[in-house]
Amino acid sequence: MTPNTDLNIPLFERAKALIPGGVNSPVRAFKAVGGTPRFVKRAQGAYFWDANDQRFIDYIGSWGPMILGHGHPAVLEAVQKAALEGFSFGAPTEREIELAEEILGLVPSMEMIRLVSSGTEAGMSAIRLARGATGRSKLIKFEGCYHGHADALLVKAGSGLATFGNATSAGVPPEVVQHTIVLEYNNIPQLEEAFALHGKELACLMIEPIAGNMNLVRASVPFMRRCRELCTEYGALLVLDEVMTGFRVALGSAQSVYAKSIPGFKPDITVLGKVIGGGMPLAAFGASRAIMENLAPLGAVYQAGTLSGNPVATACGLATLREIKKPGFFDALSARTRSLVDGLAAAAAAEGVPFSADCEGGMFGFFLLPELPQNYAQVLKTDGVRFNQLFHGLLDRGVYIAPALYEAGFVSAAHTEQDIADTVTIARDVFKSLTK
Ligand SMILES: Cc1ncc(COP(=O)(O)O)c(C=O)c1O
């Protein structure tokens, strides 16, 4: 493909004239890796095709939602049927109850749930709920975790624990982030110090349990245990942001993974998105009845949405959840993801490329580092230039991974053994060119 024949290029030029950066969400712009984004024409199963009709094995899956792959027949049928019945009513539907029943049945830490349209909205609302329920203002988040783009969460660490974070975006006034404390992920002494200083003023601690926004970094079991203990001790709410991990790493989500090592473990509030909408705009937050009853119209915490619980989105989400509930679904998905990660590690080792990787369920991450990082500062040690070479090498050969080294990858039920084997063969070829 030469620049003269690449049909993605004129599309990107047209888009840039109309839409800031040519994209409706920044990471799609390929700014970190350089080059022209692929404009998707259509997708099916584990693949999508771009403007040139080039096929890509898709390891992004819309950044997580497409756990069944694209165009799953049961999902398509449910969506088509729902669309014929009406797009949006602004009045309740039975399907919202069914989706709530389905989700609450699978994640028992929640007794009630509220459906919204994006993970950002869900995270923002969860914080308002935590503040309303506790009557406190401060919150803890961790460097490298992303919880959507609500003002109070676009924050990086300040100069010390006694100071509060600095906004990472223009347009966020310092007063808005003055209650946000940003700590290092997996750092227990720092966590304890922060609680000792601010514990009684904390509304909540918000965390990605398996962080997918710094590639893939797990909260260690001792760290997660300490988060839970300190929240309980100081009366702060533990908010697990499972927008990415929810129904992606296990049927019971990441909280069920931690509950295997921490008996009785559960968060106070869970934030969900991505898979529960199956690719449609749908997200949610849920908690115990006592916490959720603080929400309007029952309680004093206001929260609302014109398209919340949208009938087509709920049909899509329900059909998706009903598929992933089928016996053996997660065992098969986990095995496929594991074979990808092991295959990539073996290919990298064979070509002498430093490499470490991890996965859980259908989510994976890898680093061009000899050991798995434990926090954001360690993730930053990845060689960005080499990652970009790897990204473009894979892309040119028809394998689409996230165009930034800070993002997790996703395997779907539609990825075949052959797709994985092809990916590993291609990756080995690219690793070979990296070592030169
Ligand atoms: C962990 C996490 N929380 C929240 C969000 C925000 O979700 P949305 O993009 O739907 O607003 C994301 C998005 O990637 C996410 O990964």
Side-chain angles (χ1 to χ4, degrees):
M1 188 72 45
T2 67
N4 289 337
T5 56
D6 183 351
L7 297 174
N8 295 294
I9 293 176
L11 285 176
F12 195 33
E13 291 309 314
R14 255 173 80 198
K16 281 193 287 191
L18 303 167
I19 301 168
V23 290
N24 285 310
S25 195
V27 76
R28 297 179 197 171
F30 277 24
K31 207 171 164 197
V33 289
T36 306
R38 300 305 185 260
F39 281 70
V40 181
K41 260 178 148 173
R42 68 194 165 90
Q44 183 58 48
Y47 316 118
F48 71 77
W49 286 261
D50 75 350
N52 303 319
D53 286 319
Q54 185 184 354
R55 194 195 82 168
F56 295 88
I57 305 178
D58 178 13
Y59 288 108
I60 299 192
S62 183
W63 301 92
M66 310 311 298
I67 193 163
L68 301 175
H70 301 280
H72 187 283
V75 179
L76 277 183
E77 194 191 325
V79 167
Q80 282 165 346
K81 186 168 173 289
L84 289 175
E85 289 165 2
F87 285 5
S88 185
F89 313 121
T93 61
E94 186 176 355
R95 212 172 291 126
E96 292 161 74
I97 310 171
E98 288 181 291
L99 184 60
E101 284 168 347
E102 202 70 67
I103 294 172
L104 300 183
L106 294 169
V107 186
S109 68
M110 295 181 282
E111 292 173 337
M112 296 184 103
I113 192 163
R114 173 66 57 89
L115 302 181
V116 296
S117 301
S118 74
T120 292
E121 207 187 335
M124 177 187 82
S125 306
I127 285 173
R128 188 178 307 136
L129 175 61
R131 286 172 163 164
T134 58
R136 300 171 176 184
S137 300
K138 295 194 194 326
L139 65 97
I140 285 178
K141 82 171 281 289
F142 297 94
E143 196 92 66
C145 288
Y146 175 67
H147 303 293
H149 61 90
D151 283 353
L153 295 168
L154 289 179
V155 188
K156 63 176 188 281
S159 52
L161 280 185
T163 64
F164 291 90
N166 300 315
T168 52
S169 166
V172 178
E175 304 79 48
V176 176
V177 298
Q178 64 178 318
H179 299 298
T180 307
I181 302 162
V182 184
L183 304 179
E184 189 174 73
Y185 201 70
N186 278 329
N187 184 334
I188 294 178
Q190 201 187 66
L191 180 75
E192 289 174 339
E193 204 183 328
F195 267 90
L197 276 173
H198 305 291
K200 291 278 175 215
E201 304 152 276
L202 277 174
C204 64
L205 175 157
M206 190 170 199
I207 184 168
E208 277 186 83
I210 301 173
N213 287 287
M214 42 178 159
N215 205 318
L216 190 157
V217 182
R218 289 169 191 267
S220 72
V221 167
F223 183 69
M224 187 58 90
R225 185 186 291 118
R226 210 63 196 113
C227 286
R228 178 63 279 176
E229 285 169 354
L230 287 165
C231 281
T232 304
E233 186 182 333
Y234 285 88
L237 302 182
L238 177 62
V239 182
L240 280 202
D241 180 348
E242 296 231 44
V243 168
M244 196 180 281
T245 53
F247 304 103
R248 165 56 73 178
V249 299
L251 191 55
S253 304
Q255 48 200 272
S256 71
V257 176
Y258 283 90
K260 282 188 200 154
S261 312
I262 310 171
F265 175 82
K266 56 178 186 171
D268 298 302
I269 301 180
T270 300
V271 186
L272 294 165
K274 300 194 191 264
V275 170
I276 62 163
M280 291 253 175
L282 203 156
F285 59 103
S288 65
R289 189 169 304 279
I291 292 176
M292 291 302 277
E293 284 181 348
N294 285 286
L295 277 183
L298 296 179
V301 177
Y302 191 69
Q303 191 281 329
T306 300
L307 297 177
S308 290
N310 176 268
V312 186
T314 45
C316 188
L318 253 181
T320 302
L321 291 186
R322 286 178 178 157
E323 288 300 314
I324 70 170
K325 256 176 70 176
K326 290 186 175 164
F329 178 91
F330 267 95
D331 288 344
L333 182 67
S334 303
R336 192 73 27 109
T337 312
R338 169 53 61 195
S339 72
L340 173 70
V341 161
D342 289 349
L344 291 176
E351 299 304 334
V353 174
F355 187 88
S356 53
D358 195 5
C359 63
E360 189 71 45
M363 177 172 168
F364 68 89
F366 64 79
F367 301 89
L368 297 175
L369 295 170
E371 277 173 31
L372 284 173
Q374 298 302 310
N375 58 44
Y376 189 58
Q378 290 174 8
V379 172
L380 289 182
K381 294 196 177 123
T382 300
D383 182 341
V385 174
R386 278 184 126 204
F387 174 83
N388 291 352
Q389 284 170 5
L390 175 64
F391 170 79
H392 280 291
L394 293 172
L395 188 71
D396 290 347
R397 293 164 177 81
V399 174
Y400 194 88
I401 63 166
L405 65 86
Y406 306 107
E407 311 289 346
F410 304 98
V411 172
S412 78
H415 286 82
T416 61
E417 270 175 41
Q418 191 60 50
D419 293 324
I420 304 291
D422 290 348
T423 304
V424 169
T425 306
I426 290 168
R428 179 153 181 192
D429 204 29
V430 182
F431 285 138
K432 197 176 292 172
S433 69
L434 288 187
T435 47
K436 277 183 198 143

